[in-house]
Amino acid sequence: MSQQAQRAVTRILAIDGGGIRGLIPALVLTEIESLTGKRIAELFDLIAGTSTGGILAAGLTVPDATGKAPMYRAQELVGLYRDHGEEIFSAGWLRKAWSLFVGAEYSPHNLEEHLKKQLGEHRLADAVTGLLITAYDMHEGKAWFFSRLAAQRKADRNFLLWEVCRATSAAPTYFPPFKLPNEKATLVDGGVFANNPGLCAWVDDHEGIDPKAPLMLLSLGTGSVPHPVTFTRARRWGKIRWAQPAIGAFMDGQSDTAEYQLGRLLDPTMYLRLQPELGEEHEKMDDASKPNLGALERATTHMLKEPGTPERLKEFCDRLVAGGAPPIPLPAGAR
């Protein structure tokens, strides 16, 4: 057997940012748990997330009372979007109007309360499997990575999980930046540089992962949305009108670029990207209305039923359960 075949396969899950559209990967992960009969944290060696994907990553790896098993199933995290989305993305007309000039559109209070309730006093080092969550430090102008490995090695990197999630989800114009206790960093949404954290999870030395070792990577998007902005329309936008469309373009552009690069670099049998198509009317990251949530669910269901996708997903899940190795086929006639 070759040295390459002898090395263990590293299994990585990467979840994009996208605000309320995080409902999409939450539903996909629910389907994966149904297909495998296992919790998501039991299937992956490293779970990476940005923004809403970071919240999901933390929720999937926070420990239960034993400290060894994950507390939540993916289905339970779906409720964050269905049941609490409107509370998190809630703002009066006066705040919305004032945010055009000063401050963020939404108060972080409701988001922080739900994060504290979901994650409690657990810290980064407590995660039951490898964890990587992105943010960006506006003070130093550099990427900031929250990782379980760093937290286990250095006590001053062992932040509360709710703080990590608040930092990664501080999308400019939507929520205020976040400042960690005793840190100078002014942290905003990691989506400004890595909305799709797949490449970050693979090529950097997180959890001791060797980029040259065999790899399985499942990458989950929060919906691909067309942006048919005409030249005539865009050329008339001023600074205020450009703000949120520019943020969306940056995040979508980075996600698409990472998707392309990963698709070129990885073995297609070991890499799976799931990304539904959304209509322009459903692109908003803060539309938590029931009709919009219903549209996101339908788009996810449609994607999972597209020709070839059920078979591809089942094959990928079987391989995850087998630790990355191709599952051994059953003898003819066996069930």
Side-chain angles (χ1 to χ4, degrees), residues 228-243:
V229 178
T230 64
F231 173 76
T232 302
R233 181 182 173 195
R235 68 189 292 269
R236 295 178 178 175
W237 287 351
K239 292 181 180 179
I240 293 176
R241 186 65 186 89
W242 259 109

Side-chain angles (χ1 to χ4, degrees), residues 103-251:
E105 186 169 353
Y106 300 104
S107 164
H109 175 75
N110 290 340
L111 173 60
E112 290 180 3
E113 288 303 305
H114 284 296
L115 291 175
K116 291 175 184 177
K117 183 177 180 180
Q118 177 178 299
L119 303 171
E121 294 298 310
H122 290 291
R123 292 182 176 271
L124 195 51
D126 300 331
V128 297
T129 194
L131 181 62
L132 175 69
I133 295 176
T134 67
Y136 188 79
D137 179 10
M138 297 291 290
H139 182 265
E140 295 288 340
K142 65 181 182 181
W144 185 294
F145 294 103
F146 295 98
S147 81
R148 183 186 71 164
L149 185 62
Q152 290 174 338
R153 289 176 173 175
K154 297 181 179 180
D156 64 351
R157 300 290 95 185
N158 192 20
F159 304 105
L160 289 165
L161 279 174
W162 81 261
E163 295 175 333
V164 174
C165 291
R166 172 66 178 85
T168 192
S169 58
T173 76
Y174 291 95
F175 291 107
F178 186 70
K179 189 177 184 302
L180 291 161
N182 304 317
E183 293 285 343
K184 293 182 179 180
T186 301
L187 297 175
V188 298
D189 195 320
V192 302
F193 78 96
N195 201 52
N196 177 342
L199 277 169
C200 295
W202 177 27
V203 304
D204 291 324
D205 183 24
H206 304 295
E207 298 296 323
I209 290 172
D210 179 1
K212 298 178 182 179
L215 174 80
M216 283 191 75
L217 196 151
L218 173 63
S219 177
L220 301 181
T222 57
S224 176
V225 186
H227 293 91
V229 178
T230 64
F231 173 76
T232 302
R233 181 182 173 195
R235 68 189 292 269
R236 295 178 178 175
W237 287 351
K239 292 181 180 179
I240 293 176
R241 186 65 186 89
W242 259 109
Q244 289 189 350
I247 292 167
F250 297 157
M251 292 181 174

Side-chain angles (χ1 to χ4, degrees), residues 9-15 25 28-49 56-57 60-61 68 70 74 127-132 148 198 201 206-207 209 214-220 266 269-274 312-324:
V9 175
T10 299
R11 301 163 299 169
I12 296 177
L13 168 64
I15 313 172
V28 174
L29 292 167
T30 299
E31 176 67 12
I32 290 172
E33 288 191 340
S34 177
L35 288 170
T36 63
K38 292 182 175 292
R39 303 286 185 98
I40 295 299
E42 298 172 317
L43 296 169
F44 294 94
D45 303 297
L46 174 64
I47 300 178
L56 286 172
L60 292 165
T61 60
K68 298 179 180 179
V128 297
T129 194
L131 181 62
L132 175 69
R148 183 186 71 164
H206 304 295
E207 298 296 323
I209 290 172
L215 174 80
M216 283 191 75
L217 196 151
L218 173 63
S219 177
L220 301 181
L266 293 175
T269 66
M270 304 290 271
Y271 170 63
L272 179 60
R273 170 73 168 173
L274 294 176
R312 180 76 178 93
L313 181 58
K314 179 63 166 60
E315 176 187 354
F316 201 86
C317 286
D318 288 345
R319 199 157 189 169
L320 285 173
V321 173

